[in-house]
Amino acid sequence: SFKQKGKDIPDIKTVRDCRSYYIDPQSQVLNSTIMTIRRAAVRLMAPESIALKTAVGLKRSRCQPACQAITRSLRHSSTTAAAQSPWANFTQAPPDPIIGLTEAYQNDDFPQKVNVGVGAYRDDSGMPFVLPVVRQVEKEITAEELDHEYSGIAGCPSFVDLAMKFAYGEDCVPLLEGRIAGVQTLSGTGGLRVFGEVLNSFGHTEIHIPNPSWGNHVPIFRNAGLDVKTYSYYNKENSSLDFEGMIADIKNIPEGKCILLHVCAHNPTGMDPQIDQWKEISSVVKEKKLLPFFDCAYQGFASGDARIDAASLRLFVEDGHKVALVQSFSKNMGLYGQRVGALSVVADSQEEAQRVLSQLKVHIRPSYSNPPRHGARIVQKILSDEQKTDAFVEQCSSMAGRINSMRATLKQTLEDLGSSRDWSHITKQIGMFAYSGLTKEEVTVLREKHHIYCTLDGRISMAGVTSKNVKYIAEAIHDVSK
């Protein structure tokens, strides 16, 4: 139409422009074109100037010349379109240190690659391990043909009761008196977040955690609105517990603040206080009127007996502390993907416990409403049966025993290779991890040269060390550290 009039094809940017330049504004082709563009604009929630790109698909119509003009004028609109996206200002977040490590490992095609970064148990073949008692209970649950109805906000009551007995002990006085409020949570992580929010809601502005601590503690509590501060815990110079520094720092924590403590098998160092040291910690915490919050993720991986690994927690309760506790059954029962945990608070009375429970539920409801049932049913069946509980303790002890065996072998192999470093801390540490003492630079070389993947702080998951790869790991560590 424009060519017939001897005019240049205009720079058409909007539907209104398009309408004004057509010879016959009433033509069916024109109306069809405009309606198509308008529908696209609505569908894309975009301005008409962007939606006009749909005109590219209309070249076969009798409006071909105008459509070509539209196409030309919008050839450079991709940048404008992107700017209109509600996600355009989103930056790429850095990968999670552990997940990113696993992805790098999976993309590595080196035949002898080793992943000792993930905190999940592996058998001596390097494969995921399901406890036989868990397999047995799963078959029983399947045979019962149970429903999949919602749990309550606080989860399965019988599971919560058994979890608390497992941690506090069946003879725990506050438990017998009904003074402990408990809820089922999304493993330990969910319990940490819920309690962090509860603390923030009732006037707590900060929490004090050991340095170092589990990497996720900091973002969990910060996202719950708390300022995260640290107290001394580990002496990197001699790879040992910095007990004197720990006590000194705890004494400097302001009265009434919350302090996070690892029940056993401290992550990432594997260094736990001795029972006499725990008594002194309890005394200082009481003197400073601090709120002790225990994280129990490895009950069973310290002594090898899950029923006695809660000695620190039980000591604090016996000393009269009104503690809070978060538990995870991911490691000791191998229920990583089931997200089974519990959160409990020791109160002064039954009535106070009920009020605390109501506040825990208030924070759970808008977060995840209620927890999943399958994993809780597995734990419930195991802990409610004496024979199954004994089998679980034995199987958990077997996992801990294999890890301890690999500790001894790794240490001995490093010594046999003639390493000038002192590796005695490997066997002094307990639990799933060995805090190797390797520097960030040494860890990087370990990964790039030997294809061994561990976190940059030198934490090695001993669960990933096997009789088949321990020599290769020792040789690689010796190479980067000599």
Side-chain angles (χ1 to χ4, degrees):
S1 299
F2 300 123
K3 288 181 179 178
Q4 290 174 3
K5 290 195 168 193
K7 297 181 179 180
D8 293 332
I9 297 178
D11 183 17
I12 300 175
K13 295 180 180 179
T14 67
V15 171
R16 185 175 292 109
D17 294 336
C18 184
R19 186 191 300 273
S20 65
Y21 281 110
Y22 277 105
I23 293 176
D24 183 5
Q26 303 301 320
S27 72
Q28 293 182 353
V29 173
L30 167 65
N31 292 335
S32 175
T33 301
I34 293 174
M35 289 306 298
T36 299
I37 293 171
R38 287 192 183 281
R39 281 195 296 270
V42 171
R43 185 173 66 253
L44 296 172
M45 293 186 294
E48 289 178 345
S49 61
I50 296 172
L52 280 170
K53 288 190 294 184
T54 58
V56 173
L58 301 173
K59 287 185 178 180
R60 295 178 182 175
S61 71
R62 283 168 24 211
C63 294
Q64 185 176 5
C67 289
Q68 290 174 342
I70 294 170
T71 302
R72 283 198 302 273
S73 69
L74 294 171
R75 280 233 169 104
H76 302 291
S77 65
S78 58
T79 302
T80 305
Q84 297 297 324
S85 169
W87 326 119
N89 294 326
F90 277 45
T91 59
Q92 182 66 42
D96 179 88
I98 303 298
I99 303 302
L101 196 69
T102 301
E103 291 175 352
Y105 168 79
Q106 292 171 342
N107 293 328
D108 190 338
D109 57 4
F110 186 70
Q112 286 184 278
K113 65 181 180 179
V114 182
N115 187 358
V116 285
V118 180
Y121 182 78
R122 297 291 182 262
D123 63 18
D124 199 47
S125 298
M127 299 301 293
F129 178 70
V130 179
L131 274 65
V133 69
V134 170
R135 286 291 192 213
Q136 176 189 344
V137 166
E138 284 183 314
K139 292 178 181 178
E140 294 176 4
I141 292 173
T142 300
E144 292 175 12
E145 297 184 346
L146 301 171
D147 61 53
H148 295 286
E149 292 296 301
Y150 289 120
S151 291
I153 297 174
C156 173
S158 55
F159 158 77
V160 174
D161 290 342
L162 289 165
M164 291 193 298
K165 288 179 181 178
F166 184 63
Y168 293 99
E170 294 188 4
D171 58 350
C172 173
V173 174
L175 193 59
L176 294 174
E177 293 177 349
R179 293 193 285 114
I180 304 182
V183 295
Q184 181 184 338
T185 59
L186 300 182
S187 198
T189 305
L192 289 164
R193 176 59 186 261
V194 169
F195 193 66
E197 291 182 0
V198 171
L199 287 174
N200 181 257
S201 296
F202 284 86
H204 282 268
T205 57
E206 62 190 54
I207 187 168
H208 296 254
I209 69 174
N211 180 25
S213 193
W214 179 43
N216 214 17
H217 278 146
V218 173
I220 287 172
F221 292 128
R222 281 181 179 168
N223 288 351
L226 299 175
D227 184 17
V228 180
K229 300 186 176 182
T230 63
Y231 58 87
S232 298
Y233 188 85
Y234 190 75
N235 186 329
K236 291 185 178 180
E237 295 299 321
N238 56 22
S239 298
S240 65
L241 180 72
D242 182 11
F243 184 69
E244 291 183 1
M246 180 182 184
I247 291 296
D249 283 356
I250 293 176
K251 287 182 177 180
N252 287 326
I253 297 176
E255 283 193 2
K257 302 301 182 182
C258 184
I259 180 172
L260 181 80
L261 300 162
H262 295 225
V263 171
C264 61
H266 179 272
N267 179 7
T269 70
M271 283 289 185
D272 288 354
Q274 299 298 315
I275 193 64
D276 288 341
Q277 292 174 320
W278 274 118
K279 290 178 180 178
E280 186 172 347
I281 295 169
S282 173
S283 176
V284 174
V285 168
K286 179 177 285 189
E287 178 186 341
K288 296 293 295 187
K289 300 178 182 178
L290 303 179
L291 169 58
F293 180 24
F294 279 93
D295 187 350
C296 185
Y298 296 93
Q299 189 178 353
F301 276 96
S303 69
D305 188 335
R307 287 175 291 199
I308 67 173
D309 274 355
S312 59
L313 169 72
R314 297 177 185 185
L315 170 67
F316 269 63
V317 175
E318 290 172 3
D319 284 350
H321 293 277
K322 302 301 186 292
V323 308
L325 166 71
V326 63
Q327 296 169 261
S328 169
F329 290 93
S330 295
K331 306 296 192 299
N332 52 14
M333 289 196 181
L335 299 173
Y336 306 98
Q338 297 299 336
R339 314 311 294 144
V340 193
L343 171 64
S344 53
V345 176
V346 176
D348 198 45
S349 65
Q350 287 189 19
E351 186 271 336
E352 185 176 82
Q354 287 302 309
R355 285 188 278 116
V356 172
L357 177 62
S358 72
Q359 291 298 329
L360 297 179
K361 291 163 72 173
V362 162
H363 284 269
I364 289 172
R365 176 58 174 163
S367 179
Y368 54 87
S369 191
N370 50 72
R373 303 186 70 178
H374 184 66
R377 284 169 170 166
I378 293 174
V379 176
Q380 175 191 350
K381 273 190 166 292
I382 292 174
L383 295 184
S384 63
D385 184 287
E386 186 175 353
Q387 288 186 337
K388 289 185 175 70
T389 301
D390 289 341
F392 153 64
V393 171
E394 181 181 347
Q395 291 161 23
C396 185
S397 178
S398 177
M399 291 190 289
R402 193 191 79 75
I403 288 176
N404 289 334
S405 174
M406 289 299 99
R407 286 184 183 278
T409 304
L410 179 61
K411 172 181 174 290
Q412 186 62 53
T413 306
L414 282 164
E415 291 173 349
D416 292 344
L417 289 168
S419 176
S420 59
R421 291 195 184 185
D422 179 10
W423 298 102
S424 61
H425 58 279
I426 293 178
T427 51
K428 291 179 182 177
Q429 296 167 354
I430 57 177
M432 189 171 284
F433 303 108
Y435 211 48
S436 67
L438 294 175
T439 65
K440 181 178 179 181
E441 292 72 24
E442 290 169 339
V443 168
T444 302
V445 176
L446 193 69
R447 183 185 310 175
E448 295 178 351
K449 182 178 179 180
H450 298 283
H451 306 265
I452 295 176
Y453 293 80
C454 69
T455 53
L456 290 175
D457 59 1
R459 188 195 77 170
I460 293 175
S461 174
M462 293 304 300
V465 182
T466 70
S467 58
K468 295 178 181 179
N469 65 25
V470 63
K471 183 179 179 181
Y472 176 72
I473 293 173
E475 291 173 341
I477 291 175
H478 177 56
D479 179 59
V480 304
S481 62
K482 61 185 179 182

